[in-house]
């Protein structure tokens, strides 16, 4: 239980430092560069977390937890880049008639993702064969694939990328 709590708490602890990094990235390189930086943080965190889950499959539980925690912390740093950006993304990338919808979709996407995860993951995890570690590994792989698909769709759909 203590381990799960620290995995969740890391987001609250690192939100403010992540916000400062995100603001600095926007000032330094603009919106596009900050989103690319966020993508780098996200992919890096997912890979580290996946590596931690793979270590657990090998039986190295302490190293696995450390890897998952470091990956989670990396993802926590990336979160403010994305949560603080929807209005700026809508302003820069979408035509005037689509901006309200784009900003709303961006703001609600985090809450919808959490709601879907809360509804689906427990049932999928209970039904999946194998150990908890293997389930974490494959959930991470599936999340990464969905993230890449969503990013590709967003970049291809944008009317006027900066």
């Amino acid at each position: 239980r203590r381990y799960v709590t620290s995995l969740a708490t890391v987001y609250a602890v690192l939100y403010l430092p992540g916000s400062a990094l995100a603001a600095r990235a926007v000032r330094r390189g603009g919106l596009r560069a900050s989103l690319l930086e966020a993508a780098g943080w996200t992919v890096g965190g997912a890979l580290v977390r996946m590596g931690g889950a793979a270590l657990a499959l090998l039986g190295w539980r302490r190293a696995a937890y450390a890897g998952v925690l470091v990956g989670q912390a990396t993802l926590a740093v990336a979160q403010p880049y994305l949560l603080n950006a929807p209005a700026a993304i809508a302003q820069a990338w979408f035509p005037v008639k689509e901006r309200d919808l784009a900003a709303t979709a961006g703001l609600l996407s985090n809450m919808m993702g959490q709601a879907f995860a809360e509804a689906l993951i427990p049932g999928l995890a209970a039904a999946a064969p194998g150990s908890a570690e293997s389930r974490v590994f494959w959930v991470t792989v599936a999340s990464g694939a969905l993230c890449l698909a969503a990013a590709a769709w967003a970049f291809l759909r944008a009317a006027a990328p900066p």
Side-chain angles (χ1 to χ4, degrees):
R1 182 177 199 125
R2 170 181 65 164
Y3 300 116
V4 173
T5 302
S6 62
L7 290 173
T9 305
V10 73
Y11 280 93
V13 170
L14 293 175
Y15 192 85
L16 189 57
S19 291
L21 287 172
R24 183 173 158 244
V26 170
R27 280 193 311 273
R28 187 181 62 233
L31 180 59
R32 184 177 191 82
S34 73
L35 291 176
L36 291 172
E37 190 172 317
W41 281 104
T42 303
V43 169
L47 290 174
V48 170
R49 194 168 63 175
M50 189 170 72
L55 289 174
L57 292 173
L58 297 172
W60 301 339
R61 290 185 159 301
R62 288 182 188 258
Y65 177 72
V68 170
L69 184 60
V70 168
Q72 194 85 340
T74 305
L75 290 165
V77 169
Q79 186 183 37
Y81 282 78
L82 304 171
L83 289 182
N84 298 343
I89 293 170
Q91 178 72 24
W93 284 16
F94 290 88
V96 174
K97 66 180 182 166
E98 294 180 5
R99 286 184 186 157
D100 290 339
L101 179 60
T104 302
L107 291 168
L108 291 177
S109 64
N110 184 52
M111 290 176 271
M112 294 295 290
Q114 289 176 0
F116 285 131
E118 290 291 328
L120 297 176
I121 296 296
L124 292 173
S131 65
E133 292 85 2
S134 67
R135 292 181 207 141
V136 169
F137 179 81
W138 289 112
V139 165
T140 303
V141 169
S143 298
L146 289 172
C147 180
L148 290 174
W153 178 83
F155 279 103
L156 293 174
R157 177 85 171 101

